[in-house]
Coordinates of all heavy atoms in Angstrom, one line a residue:
M1 N 34.1 10.7 -20.9 CA 33.6 9.9 -21.9 C 32.1 9.7 -21.7 O 31.6 9.9 -20.5 CB 34.3 8.6 -22.3 CG 34.1 7.6 -20.9 SD 34.9 6.0 -21.3 CE 33.6 5.2 -22.3
R2 N 31.3 9.4 -22.6 CA 29.8 9.2 -22.5 C 29.5 7.7 -22.4 O 30.2 6.9 -23.1 CB 29.1 9.8 -23.8 CG 29.3 11.3 -23.8 CD 28.4 12.2 -23.2 NE 28.8 13.6 -23.1 CZ 28.2 14.5 -22.3 NH1 27.3 14.1 -21.4 NH2 28.7 15.7 -22.3
K3 N 28.5 7.4 -21.7 CA 28.2 5.9 -21.7 C 27.8 5.4 -23.0 O 27.2 6.2 -23.8 CB 27.1 5.7 -20.6 CG 25.8 6.1 -21.1 CD 24.7 5.7 -19.9 CE 23.3 6.2 -20.4 NZ 22.4 5.7 -19.4
G4 N 28.2 4.2 -23.4 CA 27.9 3.6 -24.6 C 28.9 3.9 -25.7 O 28.9 3.2 -26.7
E5 N 30.0 4.9 -25.2 CA 31.0 5.1 -26.2 C 32.1 4.2 -26.2 O 32.4 3.6 -25.1 CB 31.6 6.5 -25.8 CG 31.7 7.5 -26.7 CD 32.2 8.8 -26.1 OE1 32.8 8.8 -25.0 OE2 32.0 9.9 -26.8
S6 N 32.6 3.8 -27.4 CA 33.8 3.0 -27.4 C 35.1 3.9 -27.2 O 35.2 4.9 -27.9 CB 33.9 2.2 -28.6 OG 32.8 1.2 -28.7
V7 N 36.1 3.4 -26.4 CA 37.2 4.3 -26.2 C 38.4 3.5 -26.3 O 38.5 2.3 -26.0 CB 37.2 4.7 -24.7 CG1 38.4 5.3 -24.3 CG2 36.1 5.8 -24.5
E8 N 39.4 4.2 -26.9 CA 40.7 3.6 -27.0 C 41.7 4.5 -26.2 O 41.8 5.7 -26.4 CB 41.2 3.7 -28.5 CG 42.6 3.1 -28.6 CD 43.1 3.1 -30.1 OE1 42.6 2.3 -30.9 OE2 43.9 4.1 -30.4
L9 N 42.3 3.9 -25.2 CA 43.2 4.6 -24.2 C 44.7 4.2 -24.5 O 44.9 3.0 -24.5 CB 42.8 4.2 -22.9 CG 43.3 5.0 -21.7 CD1 43.0 6.4 -21.6 CD2 42.9 4.3 -20.3
N10 N 45.4 5.3 -24.9 CA 46.9 5.0 -25.1 C 47.7 5.6 -24.0 O 47.5 6.8 -23.8 CB 47.3 5.7 -26.4 CG 46.5 4.9 -27.6 OD1 46.7 3.9 -28.0 ND2 45.6 5.7 -28.2
I11 N 48.4 4.7 -23.3 CA 49.3 5.3 -22.2 C 50.8 5.0 -22.6 O 51.2 3.8 -22.8 CB 48.8 4.5 -20.9 CG1 47.4 4.6 -20.7 CG2 49.6 5.2 -19.7 CD1 46.9 3.7 -19.6
T12 N 51.5 6.1 -22.5 CA 53.0 5.8 -22.7 C 53.8 5.9 -21.4 O 53.6 6.8 -20.6 CB 53.5 7.0 -23.7 OG1 52.7 6.9 -24.9 CG2 54.9 6.8 -24.0
G13 N 54.7 5.1 -21.2 CA 55.5 4.9 -20.1 C 56.6 5.9 -20.1 O 57.4 6.0 -21.1
V14 N 56.8 6.8 -19.1 CA 57.8 7.8 -19.1 C 58.8 7.4 -18.0 O 60.1 7.3 -18.3 CB 57.3 9.2 -18.9 CG1 58.3 10.2 -18.8 CG2 56.3 9.5 -20.0
N15 N 58.4 7.2 -16.9 CA 59.3 6.9 -15.7 C 58.9 5.6 -15.1 O 57.7 5.1 -15.1 CB 59.2 7.9 -14.6 CG 59.8 9.2 -15.0 OD1 60.9 9.2 -15.5 ND2 59.1 10.4 -14.8
G16 N 59.9 4.9 -14.5 CA 59.7 3.5 -13.9 C 59.6 2.5 -14.9 O 59.1 2.7 -16.1
A17 N 60.1 1.3 -14.7 CA 60.2 0.2 -15.5 C 58.9 -0.4 -15.9 O 58.6 -0.7 -17.1 CB 61.0 -0.8 -14.9
S18 N 57.9 -0.6 -15.0 CA 56.8 -1.3 -15.3 C 55.6 -0.9 -14.4 O 55.8 -0.7 -13.1 CB 57.0 -2.8 -15.0 OG 55.8 -3.5 -15.0
H19 N 54.5 -0.7 -14.9 CA 53.3 -0.2 -14.2 C 52.1 -1.2 -14.7 O 51.3 -0.8 -15.6 CB 52.8 1.1 -14.6 CG 54.0 2.1 -14.3 ND1 54.3 2.6 -13.0 CD2 55.0 2.6 -15.0 CE1 55.3 3.5 -13.1 NE2 55.9 3.4 -14.3
P20 N 52.0 -2.4 -14.1 CA 50.8 -3.2 -14.4 C 49.6 -2.4 -13.7 O 49.6 -1.9 -12.7 CB 51.0 -4.6 -13.7 CG 52.0 -4.2 -12.7 CD 52.9 -3.0 -13.1
F21 N 48.5 -2.4 -14.5 CA 47.3 -1.6 -14.0 C 46.0 -2.3 -14.2 O 46.0 -3.2 -15.1 CB 47.4 -0.2 -14.7 CG 47.0 -0.3 -16.2 CD1 45.7 -0.3 -16.6 CD2 48.0 -0.2 -17.0 CE1 45.4 -0.3 -18.0 CE2 47.7 -0.3 -18.3 CZ 46.5 -0.4 -18.9
V22 N 45.0 -1.9 -13.4 CA 43.6 -2.4 -13.6 C 42.7 -1.1 -13.6 O 43.0 -0.1 -13.1 CB 43.1 -3.4 -12.5 CG1 43.9 -4.6 -12.4 CG2 43.2 -2.6 -11.2
I23 N 41.7 -1.2 -14.4 CA 40.6 -0.3 -14.4 C 39.4 -1.0 -13.6 O 38.9 -1.9 -14.2 CB 40.1 0.2 -15.8 CG1 41.3 0.6 -16.5 CG2 39.1 1.4 -15.6 CD1 40.9 1.2 -17.9
E24 N 39.3 -0.6 -12.4 CA 38.3 -1.1 -11.5 C 36.9 -1.0 -12.0 O 36.5 0.1 -12.4 CB 38.4 -0.4 -10.1 CG 39.5 -1.0 -9.3 CD 39.7 -0.3 -8.0 OE1 38.8 0.4 -7.6 OE2 40.7 -0.5 -7.5
G25 N 36.1 -2.1 -12.0 CA 34.8 -2.0 -12.4 C 34.5 -2.3 -13.9 O 33.4 -2.5 -14.3
L26 N 35.6 -2.3 -14.6 CA 35.6 -2.6 -16.0 C 36.2 -3.9 -16.5 O 36.0 -4.3 -17.6 CB 36.1 -1.4 -16.8 CG 35.5 0.0 -16.6 CD1 36.2 0.9 -17.6 CD2 34.0 0.0 -16.9
G27 N 36.9 -4.5 -15.6 CA 37.5 -5.7 -16.0 C 38.8 -5.5 -17.0 O 39.0 -6.6 -17.7
V28 N 39.2 -4.3 -17.1 CA 40.3 -4.0 -18.0 C 41.6 -4.1 -17.3 O 41.8 -3.5 -16.2 CB 40.1 -2.7 -18.7 CG1 41.2 -2.3 -19.5 CG2 38.8 -2.6 -19.5
R29 N 42.7 -4.8 -17.9 CA 44.0 -4.9 -17.3 C 45.0 -4.6 -18.4 O 44.8 -4.7 -19.5 CB 44.3 -6.3 -16.8 CG 43.5 -6.7 -15.6 CD 43.9 -8.1 -15.2 NE 43.4 -8.4 -13.9 CZ 44.1 -8.2 -12.8 NH1 45.4 -7.8 -12.9 NH2 43.7 -8.3 -11.7
G30 N 46.2 -4.2 -17.9 CA 47.3 -3.8 -19.0 C 48.5 -3.7 -18.1 O 48.5 -3.7 -16.9
E31 N 49.6 -3.4 -18.8 CA 50.8 -3.0 -18.3 C 51.6 -1.9 -19.1 O 51.6 -2.1 -20.3 CB 51.6 -4.2 -18.2 CG 53.1 -4.0 -17.5 CD 53.9 -5.2 -17.3 OE1 53.5 -6.3 -17.8 OE2 55.0 -5.0 -16.7
V32 N 52.0 -0.9 -18.5 CA 52.8 0.2 -19.2 C 54.2 -0.1 -18.8 O 54.6 -0.2 -17.7 CB 52.3 1.6 -18.7 CG1 53.0 2.6 -19.3 CG2 50.8 1.7 -18.9
T33 N 55.1 0.0 -19.8 CA 56.4 -0.2 -19.6 C 57.1 1.1 -20.2 O 56.6 1.6 -21.1 CB 57.0 -1.5 -20.3 OG1 56.8 -1.5 -21.6 CG2 56.5 -2.7 -19.5
K34 N 58.4 1.4 -19.7 CA 59.1 2.6 -20.0 C 59.4 2.6 -21.6 O 59.9 1.7 -22.1 CB 60.3 2.6 -19.3 CG 61.0 3.9 -19.4 CD 62.1 4.1 -18.4 CE 62.7 5.5 -18.3 NZ 63.7 5.6 -17.3
G35 N 58.9 3.7 -22.1 CA 59.3 3.9 -23.5 C 58.3 3.4 -24.5 O 58.5 3.5 -25.8
N36 N 57.3 2.6 -24.0 CA 56.3 2.0 -24.8 C 55.0 2.5 -24.6 O 54.6 3.1 -23.5 CB 56.4 0.5 -24.7 CG 57.7 -0.1 -24.9 OD1 58.2 0.0 -26.1 ND2 58.2 -0.8 -24.1
T37 N 54.1 2.4 -25.6 CA 52.8 2.9 -25.5 C 51.8 1.6 -25.5 O 51.9 0.7 -26.2 CB 52.3 3.6 -26.7 OG1 53.0 4.9 -26.7 CG2 50.8 4.1 -26.5
T38 N 51.0 1.6 -24.4 CA 50.1 0.4 -24.2 C 48.7 1.0 -24.6 O 48.3 2.0 -24.2 CB 50.0 0.0 -22.7 OG1 51.4 -0.4 -22.4 CG2 49.0 -1.1 -22.5
T39 N 47.9 0.1 -25.4 CA 46.6 0.5 -25.7 C 45.6 -0.5 -25.2 O 45.7 -1.7 -25.2 CB 46.6 0.4 -27.3 OG1 47.5 1.4 -27.8 CG2 45.1 0.8 -27.8
V40 N 44.6 0.1 -24.5 CA 43.4 -0.7 -24.2 C 42.1 -0.1 -24.8 O 42.0 1.1 -24.9 CB 43.2 -0.9 -22.6 CG1 44.3 -1.6 -22.0 CG2 43.2 0.5 -22.0
R41 N 41.3 -1.0 -25.2 CA 39.9 -0.5 -25.7 C 38.9 -1.1 -24.9 O 38.8 -2.3 -24.5 CB 39.8 -1.1 -27.2 CG 40.9 -0.5 -28.0 CD 40.7 -1.1 -29.6 NE 41.7 -0.5 -30.3 CZ 42.9 -1.1 -30.6 NH1 43.2 -2.2 -29.9 NH2 43.8 -0.6 -31.4
F42 N 37.8 -0.3 -24.7 CA 36.6 -0.7 -23.8 C 35.4 0.2 -24.2 O 35.7 1.3 -24.7 CB 37.0 -0.8 -22.4 CG 37.6 0.5 -21.8 CD1 36.8 1.5 -21.3 CD2 39.0 0.8 -21.9 CE1 37.2 2.7 -20.9 CE2 39.5 2.0 -21.4 CZ 38.6 2.9 -20.8
K43 N 34.4 -0.3 -23.6 CA 33.1 0.4 -23.8 C 32.4 0.4 -22.4 O 32.5 -0.7 -21.8 CB 32.2 -0.3 -24.9 CG 30.9 0.4 -25.2 CD 30.3 -0.3 -26.4 CE 28.8 0.0 -26.3 NZ 28.1 -0.9 -27.3
V44 N 31.8 1.4 -22.0 CA 31.2 1.5 -20.7 C 29.6 1.8 -20.8 O 29.4 2.8 -21.5 CB 31.9 2.5 -19.7 CG1 31.3 2.4 -18.4 CG2 33.3 2.2 -19.7
D45 N 28.9 1.0 -20.3 CA 27.5 1.2 -20.4 C 26.8 1.7 -19.2 O 25.6 2.1 -19.3 CB 26.7 -0.2 -20.7 CG 27.2 -0.7 -22.1 OD1 27.2 0.1 -23.1 OD2 27.4 -1.9 -22.2
K46 N 27.5 2.1 -18.3 CA 27.0 2.6 -17.1 C 27.8 3.9 -16.6 O 28.9 3.9 -16.5 CB 27.1 1.5 -15.9 CG 26.2 1.7 -14.8 CD 26.3 0.5 -13.8 CE 25.8 0.9 -12.5 NZ 26.2 0.0 -11.6
K47 N 27.0 4.9 -16.2 CA 27.6 6.2 -15.7 C 28.4 5.9 -14.4 O 28.1 5.0 -13.6 CB 26.5 7.1 -15.3 CG 25.9 7.7 -16.5 CD 24.8 8.8 -16.1 CE 24.0 9.3 -17.3 NZ 23.1 10.2 -16.9
G48 N 29.5 6.6 -14.2 CA 30.2 6.4 -12.9 C 31.7 6.9 -13.0 O 32.1 7.3 -14.1
T49 N 32.4 6.7 -12.0 CA 33.9 7.0 -12.0 C 34.6 5.7 -11.7 O 34.4 4.9 -10.8 CB 34.1 8.0 -10.8 OG1 33.4 9.2 -11.1 CG2 35.6 8.4 -10.8
Y50 N 35.5 5.5 -12.6 CA 36.2 4.1 -12.6 C 37.7 4.4 -12.5 O 38.3 5.0 -13.3 CB 35.9 3.5 -13.9 CG 34.5 3.1 -14.3 CD1 33.8 4.1 -14.9 CD2 34.0 1.8 -13.8 CE1 32.5 3.8 -15.2 CE2 32.7 1.6 -14.1 CZ 31.9 2.5 -14.7 OH 30.6 2.2 -14.9
P51 N 38.3 4.0 -11.3 CA 39.7 4.2 -11.0 C 40.6 3.4 -11.9 O 40.3 2.1 -12.1 CB 39.8 3.9 -9.6 CG 38.5 3.7 -9.1 CD 37.5 3.4 -10.1
I52 N 41.6 3.9 -12.4 CA 42.7 3.2 -13.0 C 44.0 3.1 -12.0 O 44.4 4.2 -11.8 CB 43.0 3.8 -14.5 CG1 44.2 3.1 -15.2 CG2 43.1 5.3 -14.5 CD1 44.3 3.4 -16.5
R53 N 44.3 2.0 -11.6 CA 45.2 2.0 -10.6 C 46.5 1.1 -11.0 O 46.3 0.0 -11.5 CB 44.7 1.2 -9.3 CG 43.6 1.9 -8.6 CD 43.1 1.3 -7.3 NE 41.9 1.8 -6.8 CZ 41.8 3.0 -6.2 NH1 42.9 3.7 -5.9 NH2 40.6 3.4 -5.8
C54 N 47.6 1.7 -10.7 CA 48.9 1.0 -10.9 C 49.1 0.1 -9.7 O 49.0 0.5 -8.5 CB 50.0 2.0 -11.1 SG 51.7 1.1 -11.0
L55 N 49.3 -1.3 -10.0 CA 49.5 -2.3 -8.9 C 50.8 -2.2 -8.3 O 51.0 -2.6 -7.2 CB 49.1 -3.7 -9.5 CG 47.8 -3.9 -10.1 CD1 47.6 -5.2 -10.8 CD2 46.7 -3.5 -9.2
T56 N 51.8 -1.7 -9.0 CA 53.2 -1.6 -8.4 C 53.2 -0.5 -7.4 O 53.9 -0.5 -6.5 CB 54.2 -1.5 -9.6 OG1 54.1 -2.6 -10.4 CG2 55.6 -1.4 -9.1
H57 N 52.5 0.5 -7.8 CA 52.7 1.9 -7.0 C 51.3 2.1 -6.4 O 50.6 3.1 -6.7 CB 53.1 3.0 -7.9 CG 54.4 2.7 -8.6 ND1 54.5 2.4 -9.9 CD2 55.7 2.6 -8.1 CE1 55.8 2.1 -10.1 NE2 56.5 2.3 -9.0
A58 N 50.9 1.1 -5.5 CA 49.4 1.2 -4.9 C 49.4 2.2 -3.8 O 48.2 2.7 -3.7 CB 49.2 -0.3 -4.5
D59 N 50.4 2.4 -3.0 CA 50.2 3.2 -1.9 C 51.5 4.0 -1.6 O 52.6 3.9 -2.3 CB 49.7 2.4 -0.6 CG 50.6 1.2 -0.4 OD1 51.9 1.5 -0.6 OD2 50.3 0.2 0.1
I60 N 51.5 4.7 -0.5 CA 52.6 5.6 -0.1 C 53.9 4.8 0.1 O 55.0 5.3 -0.1 CB 52.2 6.5 1.2 CG1 53.1 7.6 1.3 CG2 52.1 5.6 2.4 CD1 52.7 8.7 2.3
H61 N 53.7 3.6 0.5 CA 55.0 2.8 0.8 C 55.7 2.4 -0.5 O 56.8 2.0 -0.5 CB 54.6 1.6 1.6 CG 53.9 1.9 2.9 ND1 54.6 2.5 3.9 CD2 52.7 1.7 3.3 CE1 53.7 2.8 4.9 NE2 52.6 2.2 4.6
S62 N 54.9 2.5 -1.6 CA 55.5 2.1 -3.0 C 55.7 3.4 -3.8 O 55.5 3.2 -5.0 CB 54.8 1.0 -3.6 OG 53.4 1.2 -3.6
N63 N 55.7 4.6 -3.2 CA 55.7 5.8 -4.0 C 54.5 6.1 -4.7 O 54.6 6.7 -5.8 CB 57.0 5.9 -4.9 CG 58.3 5.9 -4.2 OD1 58.4 6.5 -3.1 ND2 59.2 5.2 -4.6
G64 N 53.3 5.6 -4.3 CA 52.2 5.9 -4.8 C 51.3 6.8 -4.0 O 51.8 7.4 -3.1
P65 N 50.0 6.7 -4.1 CA 49.4 5.9 -5.1 C 49.3 6.6 -6.5 O 49.3 7.9 -6.6 CB 47.8 6.0 -4.6 CG 47.6 7.2 -3.8 CD 49.0 7.5 -3.3
M66 N 49.6 5.7 -7.5 CA 49.5 6.1 -8.9 C 48.1 5.7 -9.3 O 47.8 4.5 -9.5 CB 50.7 5.3 -9.7 CG 50.7 5.6 -11.1 SD 52.1 4.8 -11.8 CE 53.3 5.9 -11.7
V67 N 47.3 6.7 -9.6 CA 45.8 6.4 -9.8 C 45.4 7.6 -10.7 O 45.8 8.7 -10.7 CB 45.1 6.4 -8.6 CG1 45.1 7.7 -7.7 CG2 43.6 6.0 -8.8
G68 N 44.5 7.2 -11.5 CA 43.7 8.2 -12.4 C 42.3 7.7 -12.4 O 41.8 6.7 -11.9
Y69 N 41.4 8.5 -13.0 CA 39.9 8.3 -13.1 C 39.3 8.4 -14.4 O 39.6 9.5 -15.1 CB 39.3 9.2 -12.0 CG 39.8 9.0 -10.7 CD1 40.7 9.8 -10.0 CD2 39.1 7.9 -9.8 CE1 41.2 9.5 -8.7 CE2 39.6 7.7 -8.5 CZ 40.7 8.5 -8.0 OH 41.1 8.2 -6.7
I70 N 38.6 7.5 -14.8 CA 37.8 7.7 -15.9 C 36.3 7.9 -15.5 O 35.7 7.1 -14.8 CB 37.8 6.3 -16.8 CG1 39.3 6.1 -17.2 CG2 36.9 6.4 -18.1 CD1 39.5 4.7 -17.8
V71 N 35.9 9.1 -16.1 CA 34.6 9.6 -15.7 C 33.7 9.4 -17.0 O 33.9 9.8 -17.9 CB 34.5 11.0 -15.3 CG1 33.3 11.5 -14.8 CG2 35.6 11.3 -14.1
V72 N 32.6 8.5 -16.6 CA 31.6 8.3 -17.8 C 30.3 9.1 -17.3 O 29.7 8.9 -16.3 CB 31.3 6.8 -17.8 CG1 30.4 6.5 -18.8 CG2 32.7 6.0 -18.0
L73 N 29.9 9.8 -18.3 CA 28.6 10.8 -18.1 C 27.5 10.2 -18.8 O 27.7 9.5 -19.9 CB 29.0 12.1 -18.6 CG 30.3 12.8 -18.0 CD1 30.6 14.1 -18.8 CD2 30.1 13.1 -16.5
Ligands
CU1 CU1 53.3 2.7 -11.4

């Protein structure tokens, strides 16, 4: 995405009961549950890479890390 753009992110849960998540640096939180679509909306005014991390599957001990990245150009 480009800085200054408004974004709607739709995430659908496929496996696992619950995935509470944060988008670091943006103050965005949500939770994805199996079979449901979670929508978050945000706008980013600064270029950078923002990790989206599942708090349940944070590291190798919890079958993670479950992580993605939002890149703002
Ligand atoms: Cu997860």
